[in-house]
PDB file of all heavy atoms in Angstrom:
ATOM      1  N   VAL A  15      -3.811  27.343   7.689  1.00  0.00           N
ATOM      2  CA  VAL A  15      -2.983  26.243   7.276  1.00  0.00           C
ATOM      3  C   VAL A  15      -2.665  26.467   5.775  1.00  0.00           C
ATOM      4  O   VAL A  15      -3.368  26.979   5.009  1.00  0.00           O
ATOM      5  CB  VAL A  15      -3.694  24.908   7.504  1.00  0.00           C
ATOM      6  CG1 VAL A  15      -4.847  24.710   6.583  1.00  0.00           C
ATOM      7  CG2 VAL A  15      -2.673  23.751   7.303  1.00  0.00           C
ATOM      8  N   LEU A  16      -1.314  26.182   5.418  1.00  0.00           N
ATOM      9  CA  LEU A  16      -0.931  26.348   4.051  1.00  0.00           C
ATOM     10  C   LEU A  16      -1.233  25.194   3.236  1.00  0.00           C
ATOM     11  O   LEU A  16      -0.938  24.017   3.498  1.00  0.00           O
ATOM     12  CB  LEU A  16       0.685  26.450   4.075  1.00  0.00           C
ATOM     13  CG  LEU A  16       1.327  26.817   2.730  1.00  0.00           C
ATOM     14  CD1 LEU A  16       0.968  28.211   2.265  1.00  0.00           C
ATOM     15  CD2 LEU A  16       2.802  26.671   2.794  1.00  0.00           C
ATOM     16  N   LEU A  17      -1.875  25.467   2.080  1.00  0.00           N
ATOM     17  CA  LEU A  17      -2.253  24.446   1.136  1.00  0.00           C
ATOM     18  C   LEU A  17      -1.607  24.819  -0.150  1.00  0.00           C
ATOM     19  O   LEU A  17      -1.376  25.922  -0.516  1.00  0.00           O
ATOM     20  CB  LEU A  17      -3.735  24.425   0.900  1.00  0.00           C
ATOM     21  CG  LEU A  17      -4.621  23.979   2.182  1.00  0.00           C
ATOM     22  CD1 LEU A  17      -6.098  23.900   1.786  1.00  0.00           C
ATOM     23  CD2 LEU A  17      -4.212  22.560   2.630  1.00  0.00           C
ATOM     24  N   ALA A  18      -1.378  23.754  -1.011  1.00  0.00           N
ATOM     25  CA  ALA A  18      -0.683  23.892  -2.319  1.00  0.00           C
ATOM     26  C   ALA A  18      -1.720  23.339  -3.368  1.00  0.00           C
ATOM     27  O   ALA A  18      -2.286  22.329  -3.241  1.00  0.00           O
ATOM     28  CB  ALA A  18       0.557  23.088  -2.336  1.00  0.00           C
ATOM     29  N   ARG A  19      -1.915  24.147  -4.397  1.00  0.00           N
ATOM     30  CA  ARG A  19      -2.806  23.639  -5.553  1.00  0.00           C
ATOM     31  C   ARG A  19      -1.956  22.773  -6.438  1.00  0.00           C
ATOM     32  O   ARG A  19      -0.880  23.120  -6.975  1.00  0.00           O
ATOM     33  CB  ARG A  19      -3.298  24.830  -6.363  1.00  0.00           C
ATOM     34  CG  ARG A  19      -4.296  24.338  -7.450  1.00  0.00           C
ATOM     35  CD  ARG A  19      -4.788  25.471  -8.307  1.00  0.00           C
ATOM     36  NE  ARG A  19      -5.595  26.441  -7.620  1.00  0.00           N
ATOM     37  CZ  ARG A  19      -6.891  26.364  -7.499  1.00  0.00           C
ATOM     38  NH1 ARG A  19      -7.604  25.285  -7.875  1.00  0.00           N
ATOM     39  NH2 ARG A  19      -7.584  27.257  -6.839  1.00  0.00           N
ATOM     40  N   ARG A  20      -2.499  21.543  -6.610  1.00  0.00           N
ATOM     41  CA  ARG A  20      -1.743  20.578  -7.512  1.00  0.00           C
ATOM     42  C   ARG A  20      -1.835  21.011  -8.932  1.00  0.00           C
ATOM     43  O   ARG A  20      -2.788  21.523  -9.393  1.00  0.00           O
ATOM     44  CB  ARG A  20      -2.353  19.167  -7.306  1.00  0.00           C
ATOM     45  CG  ARG A  20      -2.145  18.659  -5.856  1.00  0.00           C
ATOM     46  CD  ARG A  20      -2.952  17.366  -5.599  1.00  0.00           C
ATOM     47  NE  ARG A  20      -2.564  16.270  -6.524  1.00  0.00           N
ATOM     48  CZ  ARG A  20      -1.548  15.472  -6.318  1.00  0.00           C
ATOM     49  NH1 ARG A  20      -0.756  15.620  -5.181  1.00  0.00           N
ATOM     50  NH2 ARG A  20      -1.266  14.494  -7.115  1.00  0.00           N
ATOM     51  N   SER A  21      -0.676  20.841  -9.619  1.00  0.00           N
ATOM     52  CA  SER A  21      -0.684  21.207 -10.973  1.00  0.00           C
ATOM     53  C   SER A  21      -1.662  20.468 -11.825  1.00  0.00           C
ATOM     54  O   SER A  21      -2.039  19.257 -11.539  1.00  0.00           O
ATOM     55  CB  SER A  21       0.812  20.842 -11.537  1.00  0.00           C
ATOM     56  OG  SER A  21       0.882  20.983 -12.897  1.00  0.00           O
ATOM     57  N   SER A  22      -2.060  21.044 -12.946  1.00  0.00           N
ATOM     58  CA  SER A  22      -3.098  20.446 -13.851  1.00  0.00           C
ATOM     59  C   SER A  22      -2.456  19.265 -14.569  1.00  0.00           C
ATOM     60  O   SER A  22      -3.172  18.447 -15.143  1.00  0.00           O
ATOM     61  CB  SER A  22      -3.610  21.423 -14.793  1.00  0.00           C
ATOM     62  OG  SER A  22      -2.550  21.918 -15.566  1.00  0.00           O
ATOM     63  N   THR A  23      -1.190  19.048 -14.535  1.00  0.00           N
ATOM     64  CA  THR A  23      -0.521  17.987 -15.186  1.00  0.00           C
ATOM     65  C   THR A  23      -0.395  16.788 -14.361  1.00  0.00           C
ATOM     66  O   THR A  23       0.147  15.692 -14.784  1.00  0.00           O
ATOM     67  CB  THR A  23       0.864  18.372 -15.758  1.00  0.00           C
ATOM     68  OG1 THR A  23       1.679  18.812 -14.621  1.00  0.00           O
ATOM     69  CG2 THR A  23       0.748  19.537 -16.717  1.00  0.00           C
ATOM     70  N   ARG A  24      -0.751  16.840 -13.051  1.00  0.00           N
ATOM     71  CA  ARG A  24      -0.565  15.741 -12.228  1.00  0.00           C
ATOM     72  C   ARG A  24      -1.580  14.630 -12.532  1.00  0.00           C
ATOM     73  O   ARG A  24      -2.688  14.859 -12.884  1.00  0.00           O
ATOM     74  CB  ARG A  24      -0.909  16.163 -10.706  1.00  0.00           C
ATOM     75  CG  ARG A  24      -0.019  17.244 -10.158  1.00  0.00           C
ATOM     76  CD  ARG A  24       1.488  16.815 -10.058  1.00  0.00           C
ATOM     77  NE  ARG A  24       1.696  15.767  -9.123  1.00  0.00           N
ATOM     78  CZ  ARG A  24       1.852  15.885  -7.810  1.00  0.00           C
ATOM     79  NH1 ARG A  24       1.857  17.001  -7.208  1.00  0.00           N
ATOM     80  NH2 ARG A  24       2.097  14.778  -7.154  1.00  0.00           N
ATOM     81  N   ARG A  25      -1.095  13.388 -12.332  1.00  0.00           N
ATOM     82  CA  ARG A  25      -1.877  12.205 -12.788  1.00  0.00           C
ATOM     83  C   ARG A  25      -3.121  12.056 -11.856  1.00  0.00           C
ATOM     84  O   ARG A  25      -4.183  11.685 -12.372  1.00  0.00           O
ATOM     85  CB  ARG A  25      -0.921  10.908 -12.672  1.00  0.00           C
ATOM     86  CG  ARG A  25      -1.646   9.668 -13.197  1.00  0.00           C
ATOM     87  CD  ARG A  25      -0.639   8.552 -13.377  1.00  0.00           C
ATOM     88  NE  ARG A  25       0.194   8.349 -12.205  1.00  0.00           N
ATOM     89  CZ  ARG A  25      -0.153   7.524 -11.195  1.00  0.00           C
ATOM     90  NH1 ARG A  25      -1.277   6.842 -11.195  1.00  0.00           N
ATOM     91  NH2 ARG A  25       0.619   7.428 -10.153  1.00  0.00           N
TER      92      ARG A  25
END
Side-chain angles (χ1 to χ4, degrees):
V15 65
L16 184 70
L17 296 178
R19 185 184 294 273
R20 295 173 60 84
S21 169
S22 61
T23 60
R24 301 295 300 271
R25 186 171 48 90

